[in-house]
Amino acid sequence: MLTLEYGFKFQPAFPINLIIYTIAFLLAGYNVLGMAFRKAKHFDFFNEFFLMSVATIGAFSIGSYSEGVAVMVFYSIGEWFQDAAVNKAKKSIKALLDIRPDQVTVLRNGNPEVIDPKQIVLDELIQVKSGEKVALDGILDSESATFNTAALTGESKPDTKRKGEQVLAGMINLDKVSQIQVKSLFKDSKLSKILEMVQDATARKSQTQLFISRFAKIYTPIVFALALLVCFAPYFFVDPYNFHQWFYRALVFLVISCPCALVVSIPLGYFGGIGLASRNGILFKGSNFLDVMTKINTVIMDKTGTLTKGVFKVQEVITQDFDQNELIRLASAIEANSTHPIAKAVVEYAGDKAAGLKAENVEEISGHGLKGTIEGKVILAGNAKLLKKFNIAYPSEVDALVDTIVVIAVNDKYAGYITIADEIKEDAQQAIQQMHDLKIQTVMLSGDKQAVVDKVAKALGIDQAFGDLLPEGKVEKVQGFKDAGNRIAFVGDGVNDAPVVALADAGIAMGGLGSDATIETADIVIQNDQPSKITTAIKIGKITSQIVWQNITIAMVVKVIVLILGAGGIANLWEAVIADVGVALLAILNAVRIQKMKL
């Protein structure tokens, strides 16, 4: 019809033109009209759908058929762009769904059966072939297996598990056929909870979204009232008064006042922020937390498992009149008889050096260490108290050491010591530097002794550090910072961190290795346990907020200008439509930018 009208200067006569335009109108706008009707049945008249319906039906009533159809067509195009943008934002979230298998092999009466993971009960044995994804959380029943954990942690490095160690849904078996004893139902697996968090995230609205929803409820009735004034008020001031002319201007006013750009682009902006965060291994449990992260000025962190790996590693080996390699061999051979994490660290450090070496008559002296015989030599391995117990002299500087140490004596003579410490995460220092660059105060809380905490804080450049804290002590410290007027993000991973995570303005959990209680309580989950993701989360919050407010500003400025032009008769329905849809498209394209940003 437009091609005929503007290209060939031909318009079909009435009522043929009305019939054709009505069909086009209904095809383009049946969704909008249906929604307006459903809302009107509940006496909800002040919404964008009712606004659009009144304006377009009004255009038809005064013979402006092409303008009425154009409003609906362009609005539908805008909606299509919005849906396309939302679907793009959902892709990174939907990708998580692909890592949850829809079938699993279970061993029942010794026979393998392929069934739905939802039908598996606790303590059943499931079988995972090489290349298959694990469907449920459990513990490894096979001797050992290697898994790709990238889907959960973002780490590409394979992780080898031993019998009895935890295996999570979403990991991929890289090894031989492995058996896993199920310890969580399908709905309770860590992966299912992560997916649930992300899917629920879009329902939790930010303050800006809530403000716009409240604004729209006030704005829309005001617009209707102004449109009525534009139509009827000139009757008292203009002579001669032309109802058709002023009714048309009121319709222009209604079309341009439709808050499409705001209604569409603001949720889309936040959805884009959540999508960008998901792609970077960060899960926001609601768009409101994107706003919270923009206001954070103090980040309080737990030490073990957050800034450090929570895994003991040998740092150095110091000997006195003794061969270093021999000391390691003897220490490893005797520590192999203990299950203590410190003993495991020594054995792991020695590797194959102690192969074939066996300790005999091993005796564990509670709270002190181990005593045993290796190749006829009496070996003592433990803390300084062990050497004191056996009256063996050792250098006084050993007592002044901050780190955990294993002191070794051979045949009642001091031989040296092995320093063991929790290893600092590779990106911890970078994370602290990034926070300082953003003018954010950094604080560390730990249950570890103050000397160890101070050492880690000094190495990382942390502003304040507090050690020897019980869980209630951490709560007290965080409350103190809050009372001083700080906006706090607390980052933790252990069960004892859950109360503090709940207390902070933004609770952040290290989700890869963190406890379920902390992940449940947290507002934001960092999947790969990297401290540097804390500043990534802050940056994503700021980027999202910036783009959302750009959209609000653009939409409001353009609307006010065209509303004035429409009321003055300078802008017609076509210009109103193009301005409205144009602003909506600009806002959508601006919001879509979030998803393409590199951090």
Side-chain angles (χ1 to χ4, degrees):
M1 291 295 281
L2 290 174
T3 305
L4 285 173
E5 185 179 341
Y6 292 101
F8 297 96
K9 307 296 181 195
F10 171 74
Q11 281 184 287
F14 183 85
I16 294 168
N17 60 345
L18 176 61
I19 292 166
I20 295 170
Y21 274 124
T22 302
I23 294 167
F25 176 69
L26 292 172
L27 283 170
Y30 70 93
N31 279 332
V32 175
L33 296 167
M35 187 64 80
F37 179 70
R38 285 195 292 277
K39 284 184 177 282
K41 282 200 299 187
H42 296 96
F43 303 101
D44 177 7
F45 302 108
F46 300 124
N47 56 74
E48 60 175 309
F49 305 105
F50 196 76
L51 206 87
M52 296 289 288
S53 301
V54 169
T56 50
I57 292 167
F60 265 70
S61 71
I62 59 170
S64 298
Y65 308 137
S66 60
E67 287 98 324
V69 176
V71 170
M72 282 302 187
V73 169
F74 282 118
Y75 181 76
S76 299
I77 290 168
E79 287 289 299
W80 181 84
F81 271 103
Q82 179 198 349
D83 291 342
V86 168
N87 288 336
K88 189 172 165 64
K90 279 182 176 176
K91 271 185 185 174
S92 56
I93 295 167
K94 281 184 176 174
L96 283 170
L97 291 166
D98 298 335
I99 62 175
R100 191 164 56 170
D102 51 12
Q103 59 180 36
V104 65
T105 305
V106 62
L107 294 174
R108 287 180 177 166
N109 302 319
N111 299 316
E113 285 179 43
V114 178
I115 62 168
D116 191 310
K118 291 173 188 162
Q119 296 173 6
I120 300 286
V121 295
L122 295 179
D123 294 326
E124 280 198 291
L125 280 179
I126 61 170
Q127 205 174 62
V128 185
K129 299 185 184 75
S130 178
E132 273 187 349
K133 288 168 187 157
V134 179
L136 301 123
D137 296 350
I139 57 171
L140 190 65
D141 194 59
S142 305
E143 283 306 314
S144 69
T146 303
F147 296 91
N148 178 339
T149 64
L152 290 169
T153 66
E155 291 294 324
S156 55
K157 187 179 165 189
D159 187 6
T160 300
K161 303 283 185 185
R162 306 284 171 201
K163 188 169 183 172
E165 289 188 338
Q166 189 184 39
V167 179
L168 299 174
M171 292 181 175
I172 299 169
N173 185 13
L174 300 175
D175 221 331
K176 51 198 175 292
V177 176
S178 303
Q179 289 182 10
I180 295 163
Q181 189 179 19
V182 175
K183 291 296 176 188
S184 290
L185 297 175
F186 185 74
K187 65 182 174 64
D188 297 325
S189 74
K190 205 168 249 192
L191 180 61
S192 292
K193 285 177 182 173
I194 286 170
L195 294 174
E196 206 175 293
M197 281 177 211
V198 180
Q199 287 164 337
D200 291 347
T202 51
R204 298 175 74 169
K205 292 188 175 181
S206 71
Q207 288 301 312
T208 313
Q209 281 174 282
L210 294 172
F211 161 72
I212 291 301
S213 300
R214 290 195 298 269
F215 171 76
K217 282 180 183 173
I218 301 162
Y219 168 82
T220 314
I222 289 172
V223 162
F224 268 108
L226 289 174
L228 288 171
L229 277 174
V230 167
C231 184
F232 297 111
Y235 175 79
F236 301 101
F237 306 104
V238 177
D239 189 35
Y241 170 74
N242 183 330
F243 173 77
H244 183 282
Q245 178 192 0
W246 289 102
F247 184 54
Y248 183 85
R249 290 186 186 185
L251 294 178
V252 172
F253 195 89
L254 281 180
V255 171
I256 191 57
S257 63
C258 182
C260 306
L262 296 176
V263 173
V264 167
S265 68
I266 290 166
L268 183 58
Y270 283 105
F271 205 100
I274 290 169
L276 177 63
S278 297
R279 217 170 65 232
N280 281 276
I282 303 164
L283 303 178
F284 278 85
K285 289 191 187 176
S287 51
N288 48 330
F289 300 117
L290 284 160
D291 278 349
V292 170
M293 289 306 282
T294 63
K295 300 180 181 77
I296 295 299
N297 61 15
T298 304
V299 174
I300 302 177
M301 296 155 282
D302 175 46
K303 180 180 77 72
T304 310
T306 301
L307 292 169
T308 65
K309 293 180 179 178
V311 179
F312 285 105
K313 293 274 180 187
V314 171
Q315 303 297 311
E316 57 180 346
V317 180
I318 305 295
T319 59
Q320 182 175 292
D321 305 326
F322 207 88
D323 180 68
Q324 194 178 77
N325 284 330
E326 183 63 15
L327 184 83
I328 293 164
R329 284 179 74 244
L330 294 172
S332 175
I334 194 164
E335 294 286 13
N337 295 277
S338 172
T339 56
H340 195 282
I342 291 171
K344 286 181 179 176
V346 173
V347 174
E348 189 183 323
Y349 180 77
D352 297 331
K353 286 179 183 174
L357 204 61
K358 195 172 178 193
E360 295 170 338
N361 307 319
V362 178
E363 177 190 351
E364 184 163 347
I365 300 160
S366 183
H368 293 71
L370 299 168
K371 180 185 179 185
T373 308
I374 301 171
E375 295 178 339
K377 298 170 188 166
V378 178
I379 309 296
L380 293 173
N383 53 33
K385 287 189 287 184
L386 180 68
L387 270 62
K388 283 176 185 170
K389 184 179 175 71
F390 286 92
N391 297 314
I392 297 169
Y394 61 88
S396 58
E397 61 261 25
V398 170
D399 287 327
L401 292 168
V402 172
D403 291 326
T404 302
I405 56 167
V406 176
V407 186
I408 318 290
V410 180
N411 289 334
D412 295 335
K413 188 183 175 188
Y414 169 76
Y417 64 85
I418 299 169
T419 306
I420 293 169
D422 190 359
E423 204 175 2
I424 292 172
K425 289 182 180 177
E426 288 84 358
D427 66 330
Q429 194 167 11
Q430 175 198 347
I432 302 301
Q433 185 56 54
Q434 286 173 343
M435 287 179 224
H436 288 159
D437 291 344
L438 293 171
K439 304 287 185 288
I440 291 171
Q441 181 186 195
T442 55
V443 181
M444 184 169 71
L445 306 181
S446 178
D448 215 334
K449 54 187 179 182
Q450 188 67 50
V452 174
V453 172
D454 287 340
K455 186 179 176 184
V456 173
K458 190 178 177 185
L460 296 177
I462 291 170
D463 299 323
Q464 294 184 64
F466 303 92
D468 299 310
L469 294 173
L470 293 170
E472 55 268 30
K474 289 184 179 182
V475 170
E476 205 176 290
K477 288 287 180 192
V478 171
Q479 190 62 57
F481 278 99
K482 277 195 85 170
D483 293 344
N486 294 296
R487 298 302 296 267
I488 291 162
F490 182 86
V491 193
D493 73 313
V495 175
N496 63 339
D497 294 327
V500 210
V501 164
L503 178 64
D505 296 295
I508 304 174
M510 290 292 178
L513 301 171
S515 78
D516 286 346
T518 308
I519 292 167
E520 286 289 329
T521 316
D523 309 311
I524 300 157
V525 180
I526 294 173
Q527 281 179 270
N528 62 5
D529 288 344
Q530 289 181 343
S532 57
K533 295 289 184 184
I534 300 165
T535 46
T536 305
I538 293 169
K539 284 174 186 172
I540 289 171
K542 288 185 174 177
I543 288 166
T544 306
S545 178
Q546 191 180 10
I547 285 179
V548 163
W549 281 103
Q550 280 173 7
N551 284 347
I552 292 170
T553 307
I554 293 166
M556 294 311 295
V557 168
V558 172
K559 279 194 186 299
V560 168
I561 292 168
V562 184
L563 279 172
I564 294 165
L565 294 175
I570 298 166
N572 62 25
L573 259 180
W574 277 105
E575 284 155 351
V577 170
I578 290 162
D580 178 49
V581 177
V583 170
L585 289 179
L586 270 177
I588 289 167
L589 291 171
N590 196 28
V592 168
R593 278 197 313 127
I594 297 176
Q595 296 159 51
K596 293 187 175 179
M597 287 184 173
K598 296 273 191 291
L599 295 168

